[in-house]
Structure formats: structure tokens, C-alpha cells
């Protein structure tokens, strides 16, 4: 195994990210396909109110990742595995051949609407770097003390590195944790551009909605390994991938373990789909031997040349 495609999650979005996609026939086709299915121009998802909308952001991230992946594949750069963080998992499932793009669009729209409807305000996510898991969990116990209502608590949501985590939950607990983590010596603590409490038990209802919808679709066994968010295992069976896509919204993302698995599988080069550069940085923290290519930092032609060069060296 040599090359993996990585698909980012919510929080990676930035003004104009869809307009920065490469000029390529497959990109244009993907944008048009998505616009036709959704009934509106998806190019508008990277600006204005859509950047503040869970629905607009999640759909835009899916479109951007699939468009870039299709352009790369059209130029002969084919992945040996794929992984996606959070909503990026749907792009990874498309890249693995398990899920049709049109079905992914419908599922992500359902996912985002459910999240937005269930938690229209008062919730979010917080990134904490520089604390290990055990001290952070102790701080979570502290801020959750006396909170019997699950909707008034904070939860460990993303395990992105040995000392890189994301917490989801109610605003008061997130604000309390922000101060407590800084006082405990965290290197960086910041709120993410996410307005819902992803990857925690509060989203069990959304997971159920997704599971119901997935049962009505015909997923295929993946033609290449799909690395799961919830288990950090390489999956190929359609049913296993469907379960990960549904349950991923309510279970912690084991992204650090997923990256370690890719390295164990022999991945020597990763290409991070747009937008953002965060996933590439996480891989570099685990291994300096893996070549990390970031779509937003290079032209399509440069990505193709560098990926082919990396393959020839292996």
C-alpha cells in the first residue's frame, strides 16, 4: 500500500475554498452534479451565511473533497486507501467505491440538518493541544460535576493526537473547560468553527436517522480500504462502512489511531483533500518519512507529479 487520500471535517472550511478548486473537467462535473441534486449552486457554500451553516459547510466539504479526488484520479493518481475525519468519512466512502456521490450528498444533507435542528444554539466544540488524555478527562469530570442532564455536559469528541483533542458539548461547560485547560498548562485552547456538539452521545438521534437512511441504500463493498472513524480499522464490507458512517456522528473520532493504522498498512504518501492543512500536519507528527501533499498548497499538476514521483521511489 502506498498512497492514501485524506478528507477533512467541519472546521477546515474557509472563505472561497470551493473557488480555489483546480480548473478541471471533473471538478466542473462534480459541482454541477451536486448543484443539480441539491437544487442550488453549491459554489455559494464557501461564502456568506453558508459558512455559518452546518448544512452549507458539511455539504461544501463533501463536494470539495470529491471534486479534488476525481480530478486526481482522472490524471492517473489513484489511492490505495482513504480516510475522512468526521463528515470527511463520506468523501472517503465515495473514494473507496462504497457509496455513490449522489447518495453521499443526500446523507450529508440529512446529517447536517438533523444536527442543526436538534442543536440550533448553545453548543459547540473546543480544540485542546498540549494536554494528555488522562489530565483532560480529569478536567472534563471537573466541569461536568453535578450536571445530571446529558445536554449540560461536555464530552471528549476527537482523539487527534497523543496530546491533541477536541471536546464537544454545551457552551457553559466549554467555556469553563477553556479556562481550566489553559490553567493546567495546555499549549493551545481554541473554539472551533462548529456550532453543534459532534461525536458525542447527544447526537444519538441523528445516528439513528442516518442508520435508517443507509438501510434504504445499496452500498457496495469497498474496492480499497476505508479507515473507520469509530474503530480506526480498515473496512471493506458495505455493512461495516454503513455502520461507521451512521455511528460516527455520536461516537468519538479515533483519528490518531486511524493515522497510525495507515502507516502500519504501509502508506508512504498522503494527499489531503481541500480545504485546510490540518490533517497533513497530524500525519507529519507521527512520521517524517511519509510524504504529505496538501491540495490547497499545490496546483493539481504539482500534486500529480509529486504523487507519481513518490510512487516511483517505493
Amino acid at each position: 500500500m502506498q498512497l492514501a487520500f485524506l478528507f477533512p471535517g467541519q472546521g477546515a472550511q474557509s472563505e472561497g475554498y470551493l473557488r480555489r478548486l483546480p480548473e478541471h473537467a471533473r471538478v466542473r462535473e462534480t459541482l454541477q452534479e451536486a448543484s443539480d441534486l441539491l437544487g442550488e449552486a453549491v459554489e455559494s457554500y464557501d461564502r456568506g451565511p453558508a459558512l455559518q451553516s452546518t448544512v452549507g459547510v458539511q455539504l461544501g466539504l463533501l463536494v470539495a473533497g470529491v471534486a479534488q479526488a476525481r480530478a486526481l484520479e482522472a490524471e492517473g493518481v489513484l489511492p490505495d486507501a482513504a480516510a475522512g475525519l468526521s463528515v470527511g468519512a463520506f468523501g472517503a466512502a465515495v473514494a473507496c467505491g462504497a457509496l455513490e456521490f449522489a447518495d453521499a450528498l443526500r446523507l450529508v444533507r440529512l446529517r447536517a440538518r438533523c444536527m442543526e435542528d436538534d442543536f440550533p444554539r448553545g453548543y459547540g466544540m473546543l480544540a485542546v493541544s498540549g494536554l494528555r488524555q488522562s489530565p483532560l478527562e480529569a478536567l472534563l469530570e471537573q466541569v461536568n460535576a453535578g450536571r445530571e442532564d446529558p445536554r449540560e455536559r461536555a464530552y471528549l469528541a476527537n482523539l487527534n493526537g497523543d496530546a491533541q483533542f477536541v471536546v464537544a458539548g454545551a457552551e457553559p461547560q466549554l467555556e469553563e473547560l477553556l479556562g481550566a485547560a489553559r490553567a493546567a498548562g495546555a499549549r493551545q485552547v481554541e473554539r472551533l468553527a462548529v456550532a453543534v456538539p459532534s461525536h458525542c452521545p447527544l447526537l444519538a438521534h441523528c445516528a439513528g436517522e442516518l442508520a435508517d437512511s443507509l438501510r434504504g441504500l445499496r452500498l457496495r463493498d469497498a474496492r480499497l480500504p476505508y479507515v473507520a472513524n469509530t474503530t480506526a480499522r480498515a473496512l471493506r464490507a458495505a455493512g461495516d462502512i454503513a455502520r461507521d458512517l451512521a455511528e460516527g456522528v455520536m461516537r468519538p473520532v479515533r483519528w490518531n489511531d486511524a493515522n497510525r493504522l495507515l502507516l502500519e498498512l504501509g502508506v508512504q504518501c498522503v494527499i489531503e483533500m481541500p480545504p485546510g492543512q490540518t490533517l497533513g500536519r497530524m500525519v507529519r507528527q507521527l512520521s517524517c518519512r511519509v510524504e504529505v501533499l496538501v491540495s490547497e498548497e499545490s496546483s493539481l499538476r504539482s500534486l500529480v507529479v509529486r504523487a507519481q514521483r513518490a510512487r516511483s521511489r517505493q
Side-chain angles (χ1 to χ4, degrees):
M1 185 174 296
Q2 301 170 334
L3 174 66
F5 283 2
L6 305 182
F7 294 79
Q10 194 170 354
Q13 70 274 10
S14 60
E15 181 80 26
Y17 69 91
L18 288 166
R19 283 168 284 175
R20 295 194 294 271
L21 289 170
E23 181 59 35
H24 192 278
R26 293 295 281 142
V27 170
R28 293 191 297 273
E29 291 168 9
T30 303
L31 294 174
Q32 190 60 57
E33 181 181 354
S35 296
D36 290 345
L37 187 144
L38 297 171
E40 57 186 353
V42 298
E43 292 91 331
S44 66
Y45 290 169
D46 68 0
R47 71 200 79 163
L51 275 178
Q52 310 304 318
S53 161
T54 298
V55 176
V57 169
Q58 293 194 12
L59 284 170
L61 292 175
L62 172 64
V63 171
V66 171
Q68 181 79 24
R70 284 176 166 180
L72 285 164
E73 291 170 358
E75 297 300 318
V77 178
L78 305 176
D80 300 299
L85 190 152
S86 187
V87 72
F90 291 84
V94 173
C96 290
L99 183 64
E100 293 289 344
F101 179 49
D103 289 333
L105 286 168
R106 296 185 184 97
L107 288 167
V108 169
R109 179 169 58 184
L110 170 66
R111 180 185 194 269
R113 282 179 174 172
C114 182
M115 295 166 79
E116 209 166 58
D117 290 346
D118 285 0
F119 298 94
R121 64 186 64 84
Y123 294 85
M125 303 187 80
L126 178 75
V128 181
S129 300
L131 286 183
R132 307 289 287 191
Q133 185 171 344
S134 181
L136 179 58
E137 288 177 333
L139 292 179
L140 280 170
E141 289 185 15
Q142 175 183 313
V143 302
N144 288 329
R147 304 287 178 179
E148 299 295 332
D149 187 345
R151 296 172 68 95
E152 295 180 355
R153 299 171 66 87
Y155 302 85
L156 188 60
N158 292 56
L159 291 78
N160 291 338
D162 293 335
Q164 262 183 292
F165 303 94
V166 176
V167 175
E171 293 278 359
Q173 280 60 58
L174 293 182
E175 287 303 310
E176 184 177 344
L177 181 65
L178 188 150
R182 286 175 175 167
R187 182 174 65 254
Q188 186 175 13
V189 189
E190 61 180 355
R191 292 297 302 272
L192 298 180
V194 181
V196 291
S198 298
H199 310 299
C200 74
L202 297 181
L203 291 180
H205 168 251
C206 294
E209 292 284 319
L210 281 169
D212 289 343
S213 292
L214 279 156
R215 276 192 286 271
L217 299 178
R218 289 179 61 87
L219 271 73
R220 296 181 296 272
D221 290 347
R223 61 175 178 264
L224 51 94
Y226 161 97
V227 179
N229 272 224
T230 56
T231 62
R233 295 179 62 186
L235 307 179
R236 284 185 182 263
D240 293 339
I241 293 172
R243 189 176 305 110
D244 184 67
L245 292 174
E247 295 183 0
V249 75
M250 62 167 282
R251 293 176 60 184
V253 175
R254 295 176 56 189
W255 190 250
N256 193 42
D257 289 341
N259 281 332
R260 290 185 186 279
L261 176 63
L262 287 172
L263 298 180
E264 291 171 6
L265 291 173
V267 166
Q268 299 293 320
C269 178
V270 300
I271 302 181
E272 180 173 357
M273 300 300 113
Q277 306 87 33
T278 302
L279 302 187
R281 288 199 295 268
M282 292 179 189
V283 174
R284 287 191 180 104
Q285 289 173 1
L286 290 176
S287 174
C288 60
R289 297 181 180 179
V290 175
E291 182 157 7
V292 176
L293 307 180
V294 177
S295 294
E296 285 211 322
E297 293 180 346
S298 304
S299 67
L300 179 63
R301 183 58 188 160
S302 175
L303 289 173
V304 170
V305 170
R306 293 172 67 190
Q308 291 173 340
R309 188 180 298 148
R311 276 196 185 280
S312 69
R313 289 197 298 265
Q314 296 162 11

